[in-house]
Amino acid sequence: MPRGEPDVVRDLRSRGVSEVDIAPRRLAEYASDASLYRVVPTAVAFPRGADDIAAALQTCREHGVPLTMRGAGTSIAGNAVGPGVVLDVSRHLHRVLSVDPDGRTATVEPGVVLDDLQHAAARYGLRFGPDPSTHSRCTIGGMIGNNACGSRALRYGRTADNVLGLTVLTGGGELLDVDDDPVRADRVHAALAEVVTRYLGTIRTELGRFGRQVSGYSLEHLLPERGFDVAAALVGTEGTCAITTRATLRLVPAPAYTALVVLHYASLADAADAAPALLPLRPTAMEGLDARIIDLVRARPGGLAGAGARVLADLPGEGGLLLVELAGDTQAEAAAAARAA
């Protein structure tokens, strides 16, 4: 045993988790994510399969050491840092296991980068609906952890609205397949049903009140009228209830043509007030932008060049903007939607 190696690391190796790193450089790399927090872990491990994750969970539980799952570390609230063992699933668990174009579903491992899933689905004219701005690096496991949205959640919903099933490890090490089946009879589902019965009024009146309510535990998915969807309820729990080892996702048809409309208002507040009137056009995305941000980009040395610079020059330097993306089956249809906006 290397000198100074923690007991939890020794036991991880003895249980077959072969890639465990406690080098100072590695610990420093995983001490931060996209947030302002810095928490140095005890060790960083790179699981090769669900068995490694289960072994790490058991070991950490026995030693009383926190276990933190990590994809790309793109969350901005300290979601991917912790003082115990950090499990990075992006190195090995990054396969798109299957794409079913007829059923419009995909089954993936948690370390799959969103863009890789999009490329696999695009061969069939499909896509995964939600797409955060970090789509080139964020992982599906991370998106499930924080119920990621992105600008196109306006049309396609949040991650919770597009997860059909999960294979998860509970805190006690139990491997479960969960989905939207309301009649499962196992112990976990029975306990969840009891929670809903006990707090039915509060869940109905306080949770799920608006589309982007993604913080906390989304127990509204367990309501009888919502089909007792345990998979959707686990989305957004940040691995505090269960660890995702596999996910089955809903895919949607990719729009054939899109048009982007930039609308200028006297202020960002005016732009926000105007947004509801555009919703009947069913935009695929809508984003507000303070025009002062454009001034900052203009002032940046060596800023945009070519077509980007020409577009930037035409944008106003004051007020607020709405960027509205509209889709159509034909180019003419997309252009007509843009004119309507």
Side-chain angles (χ1 to χ4, degrees):
M1 181 178 72
R3 185 177 179 182
E5 185 174 81
D7 290 345
V8 66
V9 174
R10 177 201 63 206
D11 287 353
L12 282 171
R13 298 189 201 280
S14 70
R15 285 182 166 135
V17 185
S18 58
E19 291 189 56
V20 185
D21 200 334
I22 59 171
R25 174 180 171 179
R26 183 72 71 194
L27 300 185
E29 290 171 347
Y30 283 79
S32 59
D33 54 8
S35 72
L36 297 177
Y37 298 103
R38 179 174 172 82
V39 182
V40 180
T42 300
V44 178
F46 303 91
R48 291 181 172 272
D51 289 346
D52 279 359
I53 297 176
L57 176 62
Q58 180 181 352
T59 304
C60 288
R61 189 171 61 247
E62 290 175 357
H63 287 272
V65 172
L67 177 64
T68 301
M69 301 302 295
R70 183 176 176 122
T74 58
S75 297
I76 60 175
N79 315 49
V81 296
V85 175
V86 172
L87 281 191
D88 182 345
V89 296
S90 67
R91 177 176 287 187
H92 300 299
L93 298 176
H94 50 63
R95 293 180 300 165
V96 176
L97 299 171
S98 65
V99 175
D100 178 0
D102 295 325
R104 294 181 179 176
T105 65
T107 301
V108 303
E109 293 178 322
V112 169
V113 172
L114 176 57
D115 271 6
D116 292 339
L117 171 60
Q118 301 291 39
H119 292 153
R123 300 170 193 159
Y124 307 99
L126 301 171
R127 57 163 290 142
F128 186 62
D131 57 347
S133 59
T134 53
H135 53 82
S136 64
R137 50 206 182 276
C138 70
T139 63
I140 296 297
M143 293 179 66
I144 291 170
N146 63 17
N147 198 4
C149 294
S151 59
R152 290 184 178 86
L154 184 65
R155 169 70 73 90
Y156 304 119
R158 307 156 296 174
T159 299
D161 303 311
N162 293 276
V163 169
L164 298 175
L166 298 173
T167 300
V168 300
L169 276 167
T170 68
E174 185 177 0
L175 189 66
L176 292 177
D177 288 316
V178 295
D179 49 31
D180 59 357
D181 182 355
V183 296
R184 286 182 182 269
D186 61 69
R187 177 182 57 81
V188 172
H189 283 68
L192 289 173
E194 183 180 339
V195 170
V196 174
T197 300
R198 183 180 303 174
Y199 301 103
L200 187 62
T202 301
I203 295 171
R204 273 188 175 141
T205 57
E206 298 297 330
L207 300 181
R209 297 169 63 186
F210 52 91
R212 295 289 284 265
Q213 187 173 349
V214 296
S215 299
Y217 296 98
S218 301
L219 299 179
E220 70 273 10
H221 295 292
L222 300 179
L223 289 169
E225 61 267 28
R226 296 209 182 192
F228 197 73
D229 189 341
V230 177
L234 286 174
V235 176
T237 59
E238 291 292 353
T240 58
C241 294
I243 295 171
T244 299
T245 63
R246 181 176 294 197
T248 299
L249 310 171
R250 175 183 292 108
L251 302 177
V252 296
Y257 295 91
T258 59
L260 181 66
V261 180
V262 181
L263 304 173
H264 177 233
Y265 299 86
S267 70
L268 190 58
D270 290 333
D273 288 341
L278 293 161
L279 294 180
L281 297 174
R282 299 195 71 236
T284 53
M286 193 186 312
E287 287 282 354
L289 186 67
D290 192 327
R292 289 174 295 179
I293 295 177
I294 298 170
D295 285 339
L296 290 175
V297 177
R298 285 193 181 109
R300 179 171 174 258
L304 295 176
R310 291 192 295 273
V311 170
L312 193 66
D314 291 336
L315 293 176
E318 59 183 17
L321 303 175
L322 273 183
L323 282 70
V324 186
E325 183 184 80
L326 300 127
D329 292 332
T330 65
Q331 188 171 1
E333 188 176 311
R339 285 192 296 271

